[in-house]
């Protein structure tokens, strides 16, 4: 009778009109369906869709037949592949605050007398094929330390190599009839139809004496209800020791991101799902009691949920280290678990058509006697996109300003070289390189720093040092207000929300076709982007104040600079600063801050190669008097393309210097103050720093 009612109810939900606002949750088992039907009876905005497993649910969400499901890291990776393109939108929280990580551990019975390096020939219990704690982490760890021998997928399937390592296993989801299913109690399916599936199932496999080791997570609700029971088990540590169940922080295989809800990329849908789930928390969303199984829809150890930043995708959520492990398991290339192999070229990330054109010219000129290009060009939509591409190994390097170095550092990249603007320092080898962040106004405007509220402002770009971080950091320090759109009446802040007042003054590309699409874009396609662009915004009368660097006016007046600046006179502009004003040349006494120079960032393992190639390239193309057609530090079709035009040379940043040490204590303090305003934290940085287990 109950089955008939559930089927009828499900049929009604599946046939609901596409315009139905209900959130359609995808379920993988009858037990999950029972729980969902109960929740849907309490909260009418929820509907239930049954499929046979995670893969089928992922496909249903992609095709619009369902909206959401909670997955573990391995399945989040699969859902994020190009053919599905689903995104993690909400993470499980396991502890106080925002604890969105858990520990992958190897549990054994006390007194069994073997350590982690002695697992060969043992019987193993796994949560499921391709799952984080139960497969990806332990098998990836055993591969990386050479315990499991595997030459790669061209040699044999990974599952076969694992079968040769363990004497027998239960790996729900593996090929039925294989040694990987030998210890399973049911059908070895990757679902609750297999009693040894998931965390509680894998632990039960160990508890029943079927397996010698269980690969699970540290949250031990599935394990032991009293101290005496808990004392029967231990953890295997990677260093060959054993520790108690409670010592998981010092004895684990990896710390990995929490399970997360995945859906199609749609911020509005993500908010609706989050609202429905928040309502359901009062009806036992995180409890599986009474359904004869555990971890239904969500893991039972979940304490809360957190909505993820909009920029989050599977890579940013899982992190580079976890993704490298998965790639190694998929392809079998050992180098995926270790530093980059040597490459004849570095892939430079360029933003906008003008930078791509300059980079292509650089690439052609970089062709060497070994018939190889030393520079290859990768196109990025924005600096943050370039940082993301470098993290993913789709690019290797980009030159960015201090605020962007801060974001890149938070995302795990390192400064490798720094622009030097004083030629004398190039010769002497002095590493210190900096510039002044200044505020420029028209000389006859009567404006002062103290009278800027309500005026119109021009900025180099959102999150950039001289154009945003320094002035807005000072304004935040004075006002303690975080809604900067209310301080100025209108602005041009390339990279901000195009629909907000922060983009109201932006000009776009200046072309009828495509101009609207480029409006407020953080690239050279926006006429008011960068130092010269922000100054142009002021010079053309669009804005009242421009936040730039100290050399910007001199570079774009008195006959210097592009065509639009040909009639401008430096004497028509002045500096303003807290408590005073000065002529354009007095930046050393009237400025907003002394800030670090632009730097080239890359992945830590690629740093030495990037430094080597750039030293070689600037020896050829760095000087203004070189005989080559290409010059690294000059821009023909714009300003400050790839590097600042005022750059005299690139200098190596000491390898031991962290991004915070490079930026300096005072600048980091400005950034930390500004980051008290959540809206001032770039979406990429929010995504990179969500997990406590991944924060830099």
């Amino acid at each position: 009778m109950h089955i008939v009612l559930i089927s009828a109810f499900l049929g009604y939900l599946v046939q609901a009109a596409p315009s139905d606002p209900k959130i359609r949750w995808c379920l993988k088992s009858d037990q999950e369906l029972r729980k969902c039907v109960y929740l849907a009876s309490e909260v009418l905005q929820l509907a239930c869709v049954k499929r046979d497993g995670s893969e089928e649910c992922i496909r249903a969400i992609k095709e619009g037949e369902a909206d959401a499901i909670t997955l573990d890291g391995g399945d989040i990776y699969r859902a994020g592949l190009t053919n599905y393109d689903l995104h993690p939108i909400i993470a499980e929280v396991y502890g106080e605050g925002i604890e969105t990580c858990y520990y992958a551990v190897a549990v054994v019975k006390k007194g069994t007398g073997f350590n982690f390096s002695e697992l060969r020939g043992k019987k193993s219990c796994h949560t499921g094929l391709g799952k984080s704690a139960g497969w990806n982490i332990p098998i990836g760890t055993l591969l990386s330390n050479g315990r499991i021998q595997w030459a790669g997928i061209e040699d044999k399937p990974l599952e076969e190599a694992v079968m040769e390592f363990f004497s027998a296993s239960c790996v729900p989801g593996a090929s039925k009839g294989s040694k990987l299913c030998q210890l399973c109690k049911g059908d070895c399916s990757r679902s609750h139809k297999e009693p040894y599936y998931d965390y509680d199932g894998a632990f039960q496999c160990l508890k029943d004496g079927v397996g010698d080791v269980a690969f699970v997570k540290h949250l031990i609700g599935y394990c032991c209800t009293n101290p005496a029971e808990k004392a029967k088990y231990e953890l295997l540590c990677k260093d060959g020791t054993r520790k108690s169940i409670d010592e998981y922080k010092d004895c684990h295989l990896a710390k990995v991101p929490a399970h997360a809800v995945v859906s199609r990329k749609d911020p509005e849908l993500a908010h609706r799902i989050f609202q429905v789930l928040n309502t359901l928390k009062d009806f036992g969303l995180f409890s599986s009691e009474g359904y004869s199984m555990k971890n239904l829809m969500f893991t039972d150890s979940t304490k809360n949920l957190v909505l993820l930043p909009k920029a989050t995708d599977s890579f940013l959520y899982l992190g580079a280290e976890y993704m490298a492990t998965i790639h190694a398991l998929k392809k079998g290339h050992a180098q995926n678990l270790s530093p980059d192999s040597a490459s004849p070229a570095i892939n430079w990330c360029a933003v906008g058509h003008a930078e791509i054109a300059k980079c292509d010219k650089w690439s052609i000129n970089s062709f060497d006697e070994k018939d190889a290009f030393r520079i290859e060009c990768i196109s990025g939509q924005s600096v943050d996109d370039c940082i993301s591409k470098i993290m993913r190994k789709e690019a290797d390097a980009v030159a960015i300003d201090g605020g962007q170095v801060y974001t890149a550092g938070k995302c795990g990249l390192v400064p490798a070289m720094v622009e030097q603007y004083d030629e004398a320092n190039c010769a002497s080898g002095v590493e210190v390189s900096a510039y002044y962040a200044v505020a420029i106004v028209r000389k006859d405007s009567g404006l002062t720093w103290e009278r800027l509220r309500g005026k119109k402002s021009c900025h180099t770009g959102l999150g950039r040092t001289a154009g945003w971080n320094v002035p807005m950091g000072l304004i935040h320090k004075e006002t303690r207000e975080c809604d900067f759109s209310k301080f100025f009446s209108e602005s041009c802040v390339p990279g901000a929300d195009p629909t907000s007042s922060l983009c109201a003054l932006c000009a776009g590309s200046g072309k009828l076709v495509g101009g609207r699409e480029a409006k407020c874009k953080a690239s050279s396609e926006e006429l008011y982007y960068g130092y010269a662009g922000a100054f142009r915004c002021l010079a053309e009368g669009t804005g009242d104040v421009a936040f730039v660097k100290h050399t910007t006016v001199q570079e774009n007046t008195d006959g210097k600079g592009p065509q639009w600046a040909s009639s401008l006179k430096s004497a028509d502009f002045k500096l303003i600063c807290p408590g005073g004003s000065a002529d354009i040349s007095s930046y050393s006494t009237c400025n907003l801050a002394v800030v670090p120079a632009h730097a080239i960032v890359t992945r830590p393992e690629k740093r030495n190669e990037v430094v080597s190639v750039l030293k070689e390239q600037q020896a050829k193309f760095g000087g203004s008097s070189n005989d080559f057609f290409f010059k690294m530090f000059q821009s023909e079709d714009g300003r400050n393309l790839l590097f600042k035009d005022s750059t005299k040379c690139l200098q190596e940043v000491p390898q031991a210097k962290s991004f915070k040490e490079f930026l300096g204590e005072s600048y980091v303090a400005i950034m930390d103050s500004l980051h008290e305003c959540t809206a001032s934290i770039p979406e990429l940085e929010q995504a990179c720093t969500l997990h406590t287990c991944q924060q830099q």
Side-chain angles (χ1 to χ4, degrees):
M1 180 63 179
H2 289 299
I3 295 174
V4 173
L5 285 173
I6 289 172
S7 299
F9 183 59
L10 179 59
Y12 164 75
L13 292 172
V14 171
Q15 293 166 22
S19 60
D20 194 322
K22 293 183 178 182
I23 298 302
R24 298 163 298 172
W25 202 269
C26 198
L27 298 318
K28 301 177 292 181
S29 67
D30 291 338
Q31 292 91 341
E32 280 199 332
L33 179 59
R34 282 176 54 212
K35 178 177 177 178
C36 182
V37 168
Y38 161 71
L39 293 172
S41 70
E42 298 289 342
V43 177
L44 298 180
Q45 292 92 342
L46 180 70
C48 310
V49 176
K50 170 75 161 39
R51 292 293 185 268
D52 289 335
S54 297
E55 185 89 34
E56 289 74 14
C57 278
I58 291 169
R59 191 175 295 115
I61 296 169
K62 165 68 175 177
E63 294 172 357
E65 298 168 358
D67 297 317
I69 185 175
T70 306
L71 299 174
D72 102 314
D75 287 328
I76 291 170
Y77 164 80
R78 186 182 307 179
L81 295 174
T82 305
N83 51 328
Y84 297 123
D85 195 28
L86 303 186
H87 292 242
I89 58 170
I90 298 163
E92 293 183 343
V93 176
Y94 301 128
E96 298 301 320
I98 303 179
E99 179 53 70
T100 55
C101 297
Y102 63 89
Y103 297 87
V105 296
V107 184
V108 293
K109 288 185 175 177
K110 197 168 189 175
T112 43
F114 59 88
N115 62 40
F116 188 74
S117 64
E118 298 169 329
L119 285 176
R120 179 178 292 278
K122 299 296 185 288
K123 294 179 288 184
S124 60
C125 307
H126 306 255
T127 60
L129 187 69
K131 291 177 79 69
S132 293
W135 182 264
N136 293 341
I137 296 302
I139 302 305
T141 303
L142 290 166
L143 277 172
S144 65
N145 65 21
R147 302 295 173 190
I148 294 179
Q149 300 295 319
W150 187 45
I153 194 67
E154 298 84 1
D155 176 41
K156 59 189 171 187
L158 173 61
E159 288 84 345
E160 190 175 318
V162 177
M163 283 190 278
E164 292 170 0
F165 183 79
F166 293 113
S167 61
S169 304
C170 177
V171 186
S175 301
K176 293 177 174 62
S178 74
K179 279 176 64 179
L180 296 183
C181 286
Q182 186 175 327
L183 301 184
C184 290
K185 196 172 184 178
D187 62 359
C188 196
S189 66
R190 202 168 176 270
S191 74
H192 291 105
K193 289 184 283 187
E194 167 53 58
Y196 290 161
Y197 168 70
D198 208 8
Y199 303 115
D200 55 313
F203 181 75
Q204 193 64 43
C205 167
L206 171 70
K207 187 176 182 179
D208 290 346
V210 174
D212 302 311
V213 59
F215 298 110
V216 289
K217 67 175 179 176
H218 77 281
L219 300 162
I220 53 174
Y222 52 80
C223 162
C224 317
T225 55
N226 60 68
E229 180 73 10
K230 188 188 296 185
K232 296 178 182 178
Y233 300 95
E234 292 180 312
L235 302 177
L236 296 183
C237 312
K238 288 191 289 185
D239 64 3
T241 63
R242 288 187 175 205
K243 291 190 183 299
S244 73
I245 286 285
D246 291 326
E247 294 180 278
Y248 54 82
K249 289 185 178 180
D250 300 316
C251 181
H252 56 266
L253 306 184
K255 197 174 183 187
V256 295
H259 292 204
V261 177
V262 301
S263 185
R264 298 175 295 280
K265 189 176 184 181
D266 180 343
E268 189 275 332
L269 176 61
H271 278 280
R272 283 177 48 219
I273 292 170
F274 190 60
Q275 288 170 352
V276 170
L277 293 177
N278 270 334
T279 305
L280 288 167
K281 285 191 290 189
D282 296 331
F283 298 97
L285 184 64
F286 307 140
S287 172
S288 302
E289 191 173 347
Y291 297 102
S292 73
M293 288 289 174
K294 294 181 179 179
N295 304 314
L296 301 177
M297 297 179 64
F298 290 87
T299 54
D300 295 342
S301 52
T302 304
K303 305 296 183 189
N304 209 339
L305 299 172
V306 60
L307 186 65
L308 300 175
K310 287 188 294 184
T312 308
D313 59 16
S314 58
F315 180 94
L316 293 173
Y317 185 76
L318 295 172
E321 187 175 345
Y322 186 86
M323 291 293 281
T325 299
I326 292 182
H327 288 154
L329 295 177
K330 299 291 181 186
K331 298 179 182 178
H333 298 304
Q335 61 264 34
N336 282 337
L337 288 173
S338 57
D340 290 1
S341 55
S343 165
I346 58 173
N347 294 314
W348 196 271
C349 195
V351 180
H353 298 308
E355 282 207 341
I356 284 290
K358 180 178 178 180
C359 188
D360 286 341
K361 192 180 292 185
W362 186 11
S363 178
I364 291 167
N365 281 272
S366 76
F367 196 78
D368 65 14
E369 64 276 2
K370 298 176 183 175
D371 295 334
F373 292 98
R374 302 295 283 162
I375 300 294
E376 299 279 7
C377 301
I378 303 295
S379 176
Q381 294 297 310
S382 64
V383 169
D384 278 3
D385 185 39
C386 281
I387 293 171
S388 181
K389 285 181 184 296
I390 295 169
M391 293 167 62
R392 300 164 198 267
K393 301 186 181 181
E394 296 170 9
D396 296 320
V398 66
I400 54 179
D401 104 318
Q404 295 156 338
V405 170
Y406 186 93
T407 294
K410 288 286 189 176
C411 290
L413 304 187
V414 295
M417 300 195 83
V418 59
E419 294 179 348
Q420 175 58 258
Y421 311 124
D422 186 335
E423 198 144 14
N425 287 342
C426 290
S428 66
V430 174
E431 294 169 4
V432 177
S433 187
Y435 61 96
Y436 295 91
V438 297
I440 309 289
V441 297
R442 287 182 291 277
K443 198 166 190 176
D444 59 0
S445 67
L447 271 182
T448 65
W449 176 264
E450 290 73 23
R451 295 173 59 192
L452 283 180
R453 185 184 286 274
K455 298 299 186 286
K456 295 183 286 187
S457 60
C458 307
H459 306 256
T460 59
L462 187 69
R464 293 190 57 166
T465 298
W468 182 261
N469 295 337
V470 169
M472 305 322 287
L474 290 174
I475 288 170
H476 173 255
K477 190 175 180 180
E478 292 171 7
T479 66
R480 309 312 297 175
E481 295 174 1
C482 283
D483 187 353
F484 296 122
S485 66
K486 293 180 179 177
F487 186 84
F488 294 110
S489 60
E490 289 182 313
S491 305
C492 178
V493 187
D497 179 357
T499 64
S500 75
S501 65
L502 294 177
C503 286
L505 300 184
C506 290
S509 67
K511 300 173 184 175
L512 291 176
V513 179
R516 181 170 296 179
E517 288 80 359
K519 183 178 172 69
C520 208
K521 194 173 181 182
S523 79
S524 56
E525 293 171 67
E526 163 58 60
L527 292 181
Y528 291 164
Y529 173 70
Y531 299 112
F535 179 58
R536 182 176 184 176
C537 167
L538 169 69
E540 292 182 345
T542 306
D544 301 313
V545 60
F547 299 108
V548 290
K549 62 171 177 151
H550 69 283
T551 60
T552 300
V553 175
Q554 290 93 326
E555 291 168 352
N556 293 280
T557 56
D558 303 329
K560 299 174 186 173
Q563 181 61 37
W564 63 263
S566 58
S567 63
L568 297 177
K569 302 280 191 289
S570 60
D572 293 335
F573 301 91
K574 68 175 182 178
L575 303 173
I576 60 171
C577 48
S581 63
D583 64 69
I584 291 300
S585 62
S586 300
Y587 49 80
S588 63
T589 55
C590 184
N591 60 72
L592 306 185
V594 181
V595 294
H598 289 206
I600 290 85
V601 295
T602 187
R603 297 181 301 281
E605 72 272 15
K606 195 74 175 177
R607 178 207 173 272
N608 290 346
E609 189 176 340
V610 167
V611 169
S612 175
V613 171
L614 287 179
K615 282 183 175 179
E616 166 201 289
Q617 290 296 297
Q618 79 166 347
K620 282 185 180 180
F621 310 120
S624 58
S625 60
N626 75 64
D627 296 329
F628 292 94
F629 177 61
F630 173 76
K631 293 176 173 55
M632 283 176 67
F633 309 132
Q634 289 184 19
S635 304
E636 294 179 359
D637 301 315
R639 300 289 297 172
N640 303 307
L641 302 177
L642 303 183
F643 304 96
K644 281 168 66 173
D645 294 342
S646 54
T647 303
K648 304 304 180 186
C649 67
L650 301 177
Q651 293 178 307
E652 184 176 353
V653 176
Q655 189 159 6
K657 186 173 279 191
S658 69
F659 79 95
K660 287 189 175 181
E661 290 170 327
F662 169 78
L663 292 174
E665 190 175 324
S666 60
Y667 185 67
V668 169
I670 289 174
M671 293 297 294
D672 289 344
S673 172
L674 193 59
H675 280 42
E676 292 174 17
C677 303
T678 305
S680 293
I681 306 175
E683 287 184 6
L684 174 63
E685 188 179 323
Q686 291 181 43
C688 286
T689 57
L690 170 76
H691 302 304
T692 54
C693 54
Q694 294 175 325
Q695 288 182 10
Q696 301 297 319

